Amino acid sequence: MYKYILFDVDGVLLSEERCFDASALAVWEMLYHDRFVGLPQEDFILTPSAGELKSIRAEVFCEDEILVWLKQQGMNSNWDMVTVVFGWVWGQLLSYRYPSTSERNLFLQSNERLRDQFDQLRKSDAINGFVPDFSSFLSVFPGFYRQGESMLVALDRYMREQGGVDSSFCLRTGELWALGRDLFQEWYLGDDRYEGAEGKKPRTRGKKGFLDQEVPLAKPEAIYQVLEMAKKQGSALGIGTGRPRVETVVPLTQLGLLSAFDEHRVVTATEVLSATKRKPDQSWGKPHPYTYVQGYIGTNVHQEQAMTAVLPLPQAEEILVVGDSVADLLAARKMGAHFAATLTGLMGEKARDKFIELQADYVLQDVTQLPTVWGESQQ
């Protein structure tokens, strides 16, 4: 039996669908709202219907093919997804409006702030014929991307080398990433929760949010029973998620699951942002193992201890990470921990072969099959 079991949230306990919806809406808003680029082909809709939302997501993520590829490369952050997909189209738009490298450089040098760049392009009739080509991401970028590279760094490198575009604002210290993060939070949280969590007013009021529409990946009672069973057998339970704290605490509390976890082992994107502020030259989100290392050590221990932990951890054999993504597996492997993959993420059953190829210790249909893991680990 493992002494520590650390769970991802999206794709393990809760469906990822609402997060992906919010990601698509953030990209779409940046393209079509007249506060940002304001392309004229589509009208911005503040409260899209279910059918409109499905259509927007299908357009932005190419029927989820872009999402699948990003997840397979280990991307775990919805904020990064927003930046990468919009950043790709942003490079297209600049090349469309300013065909030569010298023209693009002059434009960027004359308009250093992202807001000014949006304003100048929006006022130009020359962009009216521009149509975003999301599908080109899948046909071009995978051949350029270096396995294991940060996707944001890869996009920055691509835009500099291929288009002469300074895209440093795509990095986590840049304007575009900050804007994409804020818009995702607005769509996901809704007006009131966004203002309370972020301490600032949303750019566009009227968003209802998705936080009260979360879908558990099994009956909450069945999940809770498995968690309590693990605790009775001596396991300390923690969470390592790419969600910010409020987006973790609210739905898990509503579903009656949060109380099963050790409060000092719940690690979220909020802690990752704190680590990033301490050391901005390093990406601390998954597949970096920091999230799970902090969950193992505990949040009541100074953050620096988790950030500087020597890997693999000396007692890593006592730790089981439960996740749905390649990013989770890579993080567990760097720690030296065991890994149980759940097939309730974006790819579903199709992910089985990938996890077998990557030699996951266990592959589960869903999180309620965890007791079979304990049986195997005791043999």
Side-chain angles (χ1 to χ4, degrees):
M1 186 64 185
Y2 294 99
K3 290 186 178 180
Y4 306 91
I5 306 179
L6 307 173
F7 295 79
D8 186 19
V9 173
D10 289 308
V12 177
L13 303 175
L14 302 177
S15 170
E16 297 177 281
E17 293 302 303
R18 291 310 188 189
C19 292
F20 294 147
D21 289 344
S23 297
L25 287 168
V27 173
W28 181 72
E29 181 176 358
M30 281 193 279
L31 286 172
Y32 295 107
H33 195 297
D34 59 13
R35 180 189 294 271
F36 306 111
V37 176
L39 293 175
Q41 293 94 329
E42 296 185 27
D43 294 326
F44 175 75
I45 306 170
L46 189 58
T47 55
S49 66
E52 289 167 333
L53 176 53
K54 183 179 180 181
S55 177
I56 290 167
R57 176 169 156 180
E59 177 185 351
V60 170
F61 292 133
C62 296
E63 303 290 348
D64 284 355
E65 289 184 30
I66 291 177
L67 289 178
V68 169
W69 186 81
L70 291 173
K71 295 283 282 186
Q72 287 178 331
Q73 309 317 309
M75 178 175 279
N76 193 65
S77 167
N78 291 96
W79 301 337
D80 288 359
M81 288 176 187
V82 172
T83 303
V84 166
V85 176
F86 177 81
W88 181 260
V89 176
W90 177 245
Q92 294 175 12
L93 178 57
L94 291 179
S95 296
Y96 178 89
R97 175 63 182 89
Y98 302 103
S100 73
T101 300
S102 59
E103 287 181 301
R104 289 194 290 276
N105 286 336
L106 180 61
F107 166 75
L108 293 168
Q109 290 168 7
S110 302
N111 300 278
E112 293 184 359
R113 295 187 305 174
L114 186 61
R115 184 176 66 183
D116 294 334
Q117 295 171 22
F118 286 153
D119 289 344
Q120 289 298 315
L121 287 174
R122 188 170 58 250
K123 295 172 183 176
S124 172
D125 292 338
I127 69 167
N128 289 351
F130 173 76
V131 178
D133 182 6
F134 295 100
S135 64
S136 66
F137 180 89
L138 292 169
S139 61
V140 176
F141 196 69
F144 179 85
Y145 174 70
R146 299 168 183 167
Q147 189 71 32
E149 185 177 23
S150 162
M151 201 69 65
L152 298 177
V153 170
L155 177 64
D156 175 65
R157 182 169 56 84
Y158 178 87
M159 293 173 72
R160 289 174 186 272
E161 293 180 11
Q162 305 297 316
V165 176
D166 179 356
S167 61
S168 58
F169 55 78
C170 290
L171 304 178
R172 287 193 180 96
T173 54
E175 285 187 83
L176 179 56
W177 188 87
L179 174 61
R181 175 195 177 279
D182 284 351
L183 292 182
F184 174 90
Q185 293 298 102
E186 288 181 22
W187 281 107
Y188 189 78
L189 294 175
D191 290 356
D192 294 340
R193 282 196 172 112
Y194 176 82
E195 196 164 345
E198 302 292 335
K200 53 188 174 183
K201 297 183 183 300
R203 289 172 171 80
T204 309
R205 284 201 170 274
K207 295 170 182 172
K208 296 180 179 179
F210 294 116
L211 203 54
D212 294 319
Q213 303 176 42
E214 291 282 12
V215 179
L217 289 171
K219 290 183 178 180
E221 314 86 69
I223 297 175
Y224 187 78
Q225 184 177 9
V226 168
L227 298 176
E228 286 297 303
M229 191 184 305
K231 288 167 64 178
K232 288 178 181 177
Q233 295 190 53
S235 296
L237 306 186
I239 287 173
T241 177
R243 289 175 174 238
R245 182 159 289 273
V246 67
E247 295 164 38
T248 304
V249 170
V250 171
L252 292 183
T253 299
Q254 290 176 342
L255 293 168
L257 298 176
L258 187 66
S259 61
F261 296 94
D262 182 334
E263 64 176 321
H264 296 300
R265 299 187 189 280
V266 176
V267 183
T268 71
T270 302
E271 285 69 43
V272 171
L273 278 178
S274 174
T276 302
K277 289 178 182 178
R278 286 178 177 275
K279 295 185 179 180
D281 58 332
Q282 170 70 55
S283 175
W284 295 97
K286 303 175 197 176
H288 193 285
Y290 161 74
T291 308
Y292 289 123
V293 173
Q294 188 76 68
Y296 163 69
I297 294 177
T299 57
N300 52 342
V301 174
H302 197 282
Q303 190 175 40
E304 190 76 18
Q305 187 172 333
M307 295 171 67
T308 58
V310 177
L311 302 177
L313 297 171
Q315 296 177 308
E317 290 293 314
E318 300 177 346
I319 305 169
L320 176 68
V321 171
V322 185
D324 73 301
S325 71
V326 172
D328 294 310
L329 183 149
L330 294 175
R333 184 167 292 165
K334 289 176 184 176
M335 293 169 64
H338 288 190
F339 181 72
T342 59
L343 300 179
T344 42
L346 176 65
M347 294 180 65
E349 180 64 35
K350 294 179 183 177
R352 182 183 294 276
D353 289 345
K354 185 67 173 177
F355 283 125
I356 291 174
E357 175 192 337
L358 293 174
Q359 300 182 335
D361 297 284
Y362 315 97
V363 180
L364 312 176
Q365 204 65 43
D366 61 50
V367 72
T368 64
Q369 288 192 339
L370 265 178
T372 64
V373 169
W374 307 330
E376 290 183 40
S377 66
Q378 292 171 346
Q379 290 178 1

